[in-house]
Amino acid sequence: MKRILTLGCTLLLSLSFCFSSSAATGKLDPLPSWHAGNSKQAIINFVNEVTTPESPQYVNKNDRIATFDNDGTLWAEQPIYAQLMFAIERIYSLAPQNPSWQTKHRTAKLLKGDIEGALSHDENAVNDIVMAANTGMSDEAYTKIVKQWISKAKHPVSQKLFTNMVYQPMLELIDYLQQNGFKTYIVTGGGSQFIRAWSQDVYNIPPEQVIGSTMKRTYVMKNEKKVIMREGEMDFYNNKSNKVIAINTHIGRRPIAAFGNSDGDMQMLNYVSDGEGARLGMIIHHTDEKREWAYDRKSPIGHLSKALDKAKENNWQVVDMKSDWKVIYPTVSH
C-alpha cells in the first residue's frame, strides 16, 4: 500500500489545483485542497510564526509537536468506525471456534445480524466487541491480520477502500507540518496496534508516534518462542482526559498544535491551548452532507457539542468541511 498523498504539482493534478493565488509570487500552495479563508490562513500564519527564527513566537524544532485524533479527524468515521467493522467481521469468522458467543447477549445479537441492538444502551458496547474479537493472539499475529484486512476492506457506504476514505486536506496538513520540522502524533481512542499496522503507509506517521487505547498484554512462551499475547481486557482507554495523560506519558512535552473533531478531543485541545506561546487548536466540523456526512450534537459517533460551544472562548479554529475544503477524499485511487 502506498501512501495516499497528492501534494505539489504532479502529472495527476492540474496546475490550477496545485497553485493558489500566491502563484504570482512563485510559491507553491502548501494546502491546495483548502479554500482560502480563516482556517487555511490560521494554519499558515501559525506555521510561519513558530518556524521563523526572527519571530517572537519562534519554537525550537524539538518542541514543534502536533497531535491528531484519528476517527473523524483524519478519515471517515460514519456510519461505523473502521476498527469496529473489523471486529464485527472477526466475530463472524471466529464464531465456529467460540460457541459461547451464541448465548452471550452482545455477540449473540451480532451473529443474528442485529448490529444496532448489539451496540445500543451501553457506552461500553464498542469496547466489549473489540475486546472479544481481538484477543487470544500475539501482537505480531494481530498486526498481520490487520494489514491483510485494511488492504482490502471497503467502506460500507462508498464501497471505496477505507484507506481512500482519508481526508485529503488533512494529509496535506500533516505533510506541511512535517516539512516544517513538526513531529506529528496520532492520539486516538482507537486501538494503538490497529492503527500502527498502517499509519506509516496512509499518513506517513510511524507506529511509534501512534498513541491509542491498549489491551492488557503478557509476555509469555508459546510454541517455544516468547511472544506478546493480547488479553481480553482493556488496559487503557485513550479518550477525553486520558488523552492528556497519554500525551504526557508517551511524549513528555506539551504539543503546540492539536486537531480533533469531537468532545472526546476537548481535553487534548485544552491542554494544548493552555500552554505558553503560539498555539493552534482546530476542530473539524462535519457539515457536508453531500460529499461526506453532516453531524455534531445529536450523533453518537463523533459527538460534538461542548467543544463546539467552547471553541470561540478558547480560540480554537473550527474548520467547516463544506466551505473550507475543496475536496474531501484523495483524487488518486489505491
Side-chain angles (χ1 to χ4, degrees):
M1 189 190 320
K2 297 180 180 178
R3 184 183 176 208
I4 304 168
L5 185 62
T6 55
L7 281 174
C9 291
T10 70
L11 295 176
L12 297 173
L13 296 177
S14 67
L15 289 175
S16 61
F17 184 73
C18 293
F19 289 89
S20 71
S21 58
S22 63
T25 67
K27 294 182 179 180
L28 289 176
D29 182 355
L31 303 170
S33 294
W34 295 67
H35 282 294
N38 292 336
S39 295
K40 181 174 182 175
Q41 199 59 51
I43 295 168
I44 293 173
N45 288 348
F46 170 75
V47 171
N48 287 337
E49 285 178 351
V50 301
T51 60
T52 303
E54 297 78 20
S55 167
Q57 303 290 349
Y58 176 75
V59 174
N60 186 284
K61 190 174 180 179
N62 289 337
D63 292 317
R64 292 179 208 162
I65 294 169
T67 55
F68 294 81
D69 171 56
N70 184 54
D71 294 309
T73 298
L74 296 181
W75 74 348
E77 62 184 353
Q78 294 283 357
I80 186 172
Y81 297 117
Q83 187 173 3
L84 178 57
M85 184 169 167
F86 167 75
I88 291 172
E89 290 184 10
R90 290 281 296 165
I91 294 278
Y92 291 154
S93 64
L94 295 175
Q97 304 169 34
N98 295 273
S100 64
W101 285 356
Q102 298 288 347
T103 56
K104 290 182 179 179
H105 170 71
R106 206 176 316 284
T107 50
K109 282 184 175 292
L110 278 179
L111 294 172
K112 292 176 182 177
D114 184 8
I115 296 176
E116 184 177 352
L119 296 175
S120 63
H121 309 302
D122 187 350
E123 61 181 12
N124 296 316
V126 172
N127 286 337
D128 289 348
I129 291 169
V130 170
M131 292 298 103
N134 298 305
T135 188
M137 71 194 84
S138 69
D139 262 0
E140 186 176 329
Y142 178 76
T143 298
K144 289 181 180 178
I145 292 168
V146 174
K147 282 181 177 290
Q148 291 171 356
W149 183 83
I150 201 70
S151 69
K152 300 177 181 179
K154 292 185 178 181
H155 188 274
V157 175
S158 71
Q159 289 303 302
K160 294 180 180 180
L161 290 174
F162 269 109
T163 51
N164 284 333
M165 296 295 287
V166 297
Y167 301 139
Q168 176 63 29
M170 298 304 287
L171 293 178
E172 294 170 0
L173 174 56
I174 290 171
D175 190 73
Y176 180 43
L177 293 176
Q178 291 174 344
Q179 291 297 322
N180 281 277
F182 277 78
K183 199 167 186 178
T184 51
Y185 289 82
I186 295 174
V187 181
T188 173
S192 289
Q193 291 303 116
F194 179 80
I195 298 170
R196 285 173 177 171
W198 46 266
S199 62
Q200 181 78 66
D201 294 328
V202 176
Y203 300 137
N204 195 32
I205 294 178
E208 65 269 22
Q209 288 166 219
V210 174
I211 303 169
S213 298
T214 56
M215 298 175 67
K216 286 190 175 180
R217 290 170 291 175
T218 54
Y219 189 47
V220 299
M221 184 71 73
K222 186 175 182 181
N223 298 327
E224 300 183 350
K225 181 182 178 181
K226 280 278 192 178
V227 296
I228 300 172
M229 289 293 293
R230 301 167 63 82
E231 305 296 333
E233 187 178 349
M234 179 72 75
D235 182 44
F236 184 83
Y237 181 37
N238 192 36
N239 196 34
K240 298 183 179 179
S241 295
N242 278 355
K243 287 195 172 186
V244 176
I245 301 302
I247 289 169
N248 179 262
T249 300
H250 294 276
I251 303 176
R253 299 175 189 263
R254 189 191 298 256
I256 63 172
F259 307 87
N261 76 294
S262 74
D263 284 356
D265 304 312
M266 186 167 64
Q267 288 83 356
M268 177 173 71
L269 289 163
N270 274 325
Y271 182 56
V272 169
S273 60
D274 284 345
E276 297 180 357
R279 302 277 150 174
L280 180 63
M282 189 162 277
I283 295 172
I284 308 303
H285 191 192
H286 294 262
T287 57
D288 199 323
E289 71 283 354
K290 292 184 178 180
R291 296 184 299 173
E292 209 237 8
W293 285 269
Y295 62 97
D296 44 42
R297 300 180 191 275
K298 295 182 179 181
S299 176
I301 294 178
H303 180 78
L304 175 65
S305 183
K306 292 181 180 178
L308 193 59
D309 292 338
K310 291 286 185 179
K312 187 174 182 180
E313 175 185 334
N314 293 319
N315 200 31
W316 299 333
Q317 188 71 40
V318 178
V319 176
D320 186 308
M321 189 178 283
K322 181 185 288 187
S323 61
D324 282 328
W325 288 357
K326 295 178 184 178
V327 299
I328 305 293
Y329 305 115
T331 55
V332 178
S333 298
H334 291 256

